[in-house]
Amino acid sequence: MHQIVGPPFGKHMSPVALGVTIMELSRLDLSVAGFFCVQAGMAMYTIEHFASEEQKARWLPKMRDLELISGWGLTEKDIGSDASNLKTEAKPVEGGYILNGNKRWIGNALRGGHLIVWARNTETKQIQAFFVETKWKGVRCELIKRRLAVRPLLNSELHFDNVFVPAENRLAKVNDFSATNNILKHSRVYTCWNVVGLCIGVYDTAIKYVTSRKQFNVPISAFQLTQEKLVRMMGTIQASLALSWRITKLYERNAASIGQIAMCKAWVSQQAREVVRLGRELLGGNGIVADFQIMKALLDLEAYYTLEGTYDINSLVAGREVTGIAAFKVPRPKL
């Protein structure tokens, strides 16, 4: 974690090095990588770039050393893709703010007891960010049950009922939704690496299986159709890796647009669906057995196909740059 933050708390690794780190964690398990990405790529990034110096000194060393684990709360029960219209409110009062609202699908909140909450200031109507502890009076944190993907992330729903947040816990440099967009742009870059890593893990399992499994007295890797599936998987992985690397290099130079990043996330996650399904096919009946983890990977991928912007929303973000027309909202009919 010392290589996630900059001086004086650590020394940044390059964006590509961070991407490769996330890729390798995802190759092992997407939930492990997800924990890392929420803690480092979202919560710590938010504090480092949008907190005051005093706030950084207060929170970053503990977050870096995993003494303090944090979630990141933007999505709400009724507000997903349309995040800028979030309904959680922060009312200014003497000494701080009164927080009311809810957040949903928040990873790490149950585990760490802290989270960054995005809320609308009732006076300015602008979006602000607050560092909240789940033990505070009025905070209720509940595990979302019956989830079938990335289960170790412990995605939770949180409710805030007249929660008092001290003024010193409002992130000093967040004054509108542009800060939120900055963080989403950052995290979306690395979601591409999550997906590539998961695909490599599936390929690892598939190639090991087909070279050891024998049918008709030969390894099934000797069959033409098996080899065609392996080559298709590898080709897609290489293309996804190359696109993720290119977007990350552009991002490193501050030259990647939100549309380019959205296109990368949409395309990589869509292509990954075929990679994982082909891996499942290559394992035959064993592809649905938990011992081989392929079905777990397929379910985890479905979560990542949706989070950090659904495929549809990311396509529309990219389409807006291509055409100059925003197609997010259906035009109101003329009366």
Side-chain angles (χ1 to χ4, degrees):
M1 285 292 193
H2 282 71
Q3 291 182 300
I4 301 301
V5 291
F9 309 106
K11 183 179 180 181
H12 279 137
M13 66 173 73
S14 73
V16 170
L18 178 57
V20 172
T21 300
I22 291 169
M23 182 184 75
E24 289 299 324
L25 288 172
S26 302
R27 184 178 187 174
L28 171 68
D29 188 274
L30 208 50
S31 294
V32 173
F35 167 84
F36 174 84
C37 288
V38 173
Q39 175 77 357
M42 301 192 79
M44 290 174 65
Y45 179 89
T46 302
I47 298 298
E48 183 175 12
H49 289 82
F50 295 101
S52 67
E53 294 305 317
E54 184 276 332
Q55 289 172 328
K56 292 178 189 180
R58 180 179 164 197
W59 294 317
L60 275 179
K62 291 182 179 180
M63 297 174 80
R64 176 200 63 199
D65 297 337
L66 295 180
E67 296 174 11
L68 190 160
I69 295 171
S70 176
W72 197 87
L74 177 65
T75 300
E76 299 178 356
K77 188 173 182 179
D78 296 320
I79 300 292
S81 299
D82 193 13
S84 63
N85 278 327
L86 61 84
K87 304 303 181 185
T88 300
E89 293 184 336
K91 180 181 178 181
V93 295
E94 184 177 353
Y97 300 81
I98 297 297
L99 192 66
N100 282 285
N102 70 82
K103 297 295 173 183
R104 186 169 170 83
W105 298 113
I106 311 305
N108 291 1
L110 266 177
R111 180 175 283 109
H114 298 78
L115 74 154
I116 295 167
V117 177
W118 298 84
R120 190 179 306 278
N121 186 303
T122 58
E123 292 185 356
T124 67
K125 306 303 180 184
Q126 295 297 324
I127 305 301
Q128 296 179 326
F130 303 85
F131 202 63
V132 174
E133 297 184 33
T134 58
K135 66 181 181 182
W136 288 351
K137 183 180 178 180
V139 180
R140 181 160 50 93
C141 185
E142 301 173 343
L143 179 68
I144 300 173
K145 298 179 180 179
R146 303 177 67 82
R147 294 169 297 110
L148 297 177
V150 287
R151 296 182 65 187
L153 270 181
L154 303 180
N155 296 94
S156 305
E157 183 170 319
L158 293 105
H159 299 269
F160 310 102
D161 184 12
N162 292 321
V163 178
F164 176 75
V165 182
E168 58 267 23
N169 277 41
R170 183 182 80 80
L171 299 194
K173 298 179 183 179
V174 175
N175 297 306
D176 54 38
F177 198 73
S178 64
T180 322
N181 270 332
N182 178 292
I183 298 156
L184 292 174
K185 183 177 178 180
H186 171 83
S187 62
R188 201 164 285 163
V189 169
Y190 295 107
T191 301
C192 301
W193 292 90
N194 282 125
V195 174
V196 173
L198 177 136
C199 288
I200 295 173
V202 169
Y203 182 87
D204 288 342
T205 299
I207 191 69
K208 181 179 179 180
Y209 184 87
V210 299
T211 53
S212 60
R213 171 85 167 176
K214 289 186 177 182
Q215 292 292 292
F216 306 102
N217 297 318
V218 295
I220 60 174
S221 58
F223 297 122
Q224 292 178 342
L225 291 177
T226 298
Q227 292 185 9
E228 188 276 337
K229 289 183 174 69
L230 288 170
V231 170
R232 205 182 335 158
M233 291 171 71
M234 179 55 72
T236 300
I237 290 170
Q238 293 294 332
S240 298
L241 178 58
L243 181 56
S244 299
W245 173 85
R246 176 58 177 160
I247 288 296
T248 306
K249 293 299 288 184
L250 288 172
Y251 176 72
E252 185 175 12
R253 305 202 315 263
N254 198 30
S257 71
I258 189 69
Q260 289 172 319
I261 295 170
M263 176 202 66
C264 182
K265 195 275 178 178
W267 189 85
V268 168
S269 60
Q270 182 194 51
Q271 297 303 309
R273 282 174 141 183
E274 182 187 48
V275 171
V276 178
R277 286 198 302 268
L278 288 171
R280 212 286 312 152
E281 287 179 26
L282 287 169
L283 268 69
N286 285 328
I288 66 170
V289 178
D291 296 6
F292 294 94
Q293 299 289 303
I294 297 288
M295 285 300 291
K296 177 184 181 300
L298 193 152
L299 291 169
D300 287 349
L301 174 62
E302 286 302 297
Y304 272 69
Y305 182 76
T306 299
L307 61 76
E308 293 296 342
T310 65
Y311 172 84
D312 291 345
I313 289 297
N314 277 307
S315 296
L316 293 179
V317 171
R320 179 178 58 190
E321 288 192 8
V322 172
T323 65
I325 303 171
F328 298 99
K329 298 180 180 180
V330 177
R332 294 181 179 180
K334 293 182 179 180
L335 299 178

